[in-house]
Amino acid sequence: MSTKTNIKEIIYIKTTRNFKSIIVLIVLLIFIFILSVFLGPSKINAFEIIKIITSNIFTNKSEFILSTAAHTIIINLRVPRSLLAITTGIILSSSGSTYQAIFKNPLADPYLLGVGTGAGLGAVIGLTIYPSNMSFANVGAALFAFTGGLLAVFLTYNLSNYSKNLNHLSLILAGVAITSILGAFTTLILITQNPEIKPILSWLLGGFSLASWEHFNIVFFSGIPCVILLFSQHNKINILNLDSKQVKSLGINERKTITLLIIASTLSASIAVSQTGIIGFIGLVAPHISRMAWGTNPKYLIPQASLIGAIILLSSDIIAKTILSPTEIPVGLITAFLGFPFFVHLLRKEGNIYG
Amino acid sequence: MDKISCISLNKTSLRFNNSSFELFANITIKEGEKILLIGPNGSGKSSLIQLISGHITPNKGEVLLKNMHKTNKESKEISELISYMPQSPYLPLHFDVFDFVITGRFSNNNIKTNLSENDYKLTMQILKKINLFNKWDSKLAHLSGGEKQLALLAHNLIQNKPIQLFDEPTSNLDPFNQSEVMNLILYSSLNKPITTIVSTHDINFAWKFNRVIMIKNGVIFKDGSPDKIITTKNLSSLYEKEIKVKKINNKHFVLTH
């Protein structure tokens, strides 16, 4: 931009343009949601789908009789599945954006910090003690996952402090170390609990193929309040990107703020993991794309990244359920395939920012 | 009427765990004073600044700000009085210049609400003053060392606090920028009695300030107006090197070789 740029243009770029981008992303997400409900291994024609959805919305449930297979697939499988993918995308991206500010590291995400594996280990322990065919097993897994996730993030944080300076590399190395050790424990449990292995293994790969309203409700009602809390702290998150000395100069109690934010973002991310398995890279890729396109202010970054995360994850799920139809691929594999070229891009182009 | 004492360090001392170094200071600073802090590397300039800013708590003695006793609990109140530019802080390199500088406008009053249009205007003005406006949308990662320092300086000046502390604010700048930046630090808000403390290695700026404090090995070596204490004798014993002060065309110059 030239020196002739005036204040109106700057305010437009920093506020109005961001606001408009959020509207566009919402419209795009709704479009992909509709697509996701329309697509699936069983062929149901569009007209019937519209009829099922409208009848479900406008008919009182008590007088409802029409309970065909198509109806069950749409209302009890595809809709909750798509909503779960959206909610998970929102949670992973907003907690990713928050971790990146807290740890002063644009590479931090729930997966790389060990939260994913920690929550996974917790959930596996939970499911081993309290198998998934019992009632409230999903809630139990969620609680174990939260404990595991929180433990992992504190281990990573403390381990990275061993190198005295909290720099980019030490945090990522600590995350890798914690991820591998917790992953090893998970494998150990899986091997020793032989008969249970298959359902847990498919869950670990991450995916929405088993999604139900129960999963959605657990993730939505515990995760979205955390996301709202994170968003309400956007100015503090903005300041936390600065040096600790400057954070203090601006009157922010860094330790107190960070503790609150870590609990909220780890809680939401862990619960998402407990119900959907380990889905990597969304929390890293979505905030990064958003920052490249529209800037770093968390007031806009959190909603933008959340919507981008939801769009990527929902699209990945559409690919997961259609590309090898009728066989499904775990969505975690799709996001891993998307994540790899992204990392290569980071290494090649932005080494000076992220090095 | 006397000017009110703004900052006072009453027999304040600071020790570091794993060294024999001790900082001792007993000074009173009046409102509106412009103070230059000089001394060799490791003499305690940064520590003295951080004692005042509240980033370090003293082992003995106290630091009074506007006669308010300073403890960590009152860091919100301190943040409304003091801005502090650290020497080489971590910078969020993925921020653009504008977004980085404007974070200086946050205070306890607007942290729960939002930045106003005025904050955007002030950010633009300071970037123009500091000759960085042509890079307002560049990422910090793509700036030179000097430009990063200018952005950091803008982040501090924009806070417009009554007490402003700068730890070597011009160390990465070219000579012309150095002098412009010093003027900006000293005269940016003439209408308010701002107390300014600057540490530097460039002694030639001393005559722009009304008080110079020399620190050597953690103790105050000399304290007074530049005309009185910036002398060949004082500087030579401060740095333990041969340094000359000359007057050419009614202007003072410090010659280090």
Side-chain angles (χ1 to χ4, degrees), chain B residues 85 97 100-102 104 122-123 126-127 130 132 148-160 166 184:
Chain B
M85 175 173 163
V97 172
F100 174 70
V101 172
I102 207 169
L122 288 169
T123 307
I126 195 84
L127 287 176
I130 217 154
L132 206 58
K148 280 179 194 149
Q149 199 167 27
L150 289 176
L152 183 62
L153 189 79
H155 168 93
N156 278 270
L157 288 174
I158 206 175
Q159 296 179 30
N160 206 11
F166 302 89
L184 209 58

Side-chain angles (χ1 to χ4, degrees), chain B residues 133-184:
Chain B
F133 186 61
N134 57 339
K135 300 227 169 159
W136 71 273
D137 62 349
S138 299
K139 288 208 159 73
L140 293 185
H142 302 141
L143 300 186
S144 72
E147 288 167 331
K148 280 179 194 149
Q149 199 167 27
L150 289 176
L152 183 62
L153 189 79
H155 168 93
N156 278 270
L157 288 174
I158 206 175
Q159 296 179 30
N160 206 11
K161 307 267 169 76
I163 300 170
Q164 301 184 356
L165 313 173
F166 302 89
D167 198 353
E168 295 190 24
T170 58
S171 57
N172 289 323
L173 305 179
D174 66 54
F176 306 101
N177 255 332
Q178 277 187 9
S179 132
E180 261 186 59
V181 159
M182 275 298 181
N183 288 336
L184 209 58

Side-chain angles (χ1 to χ4, degrees), chain A residues 130-135 137:
Chain A
Y130 197 84
S132 53
N133 50 11
M134 292 169 75
S135 51

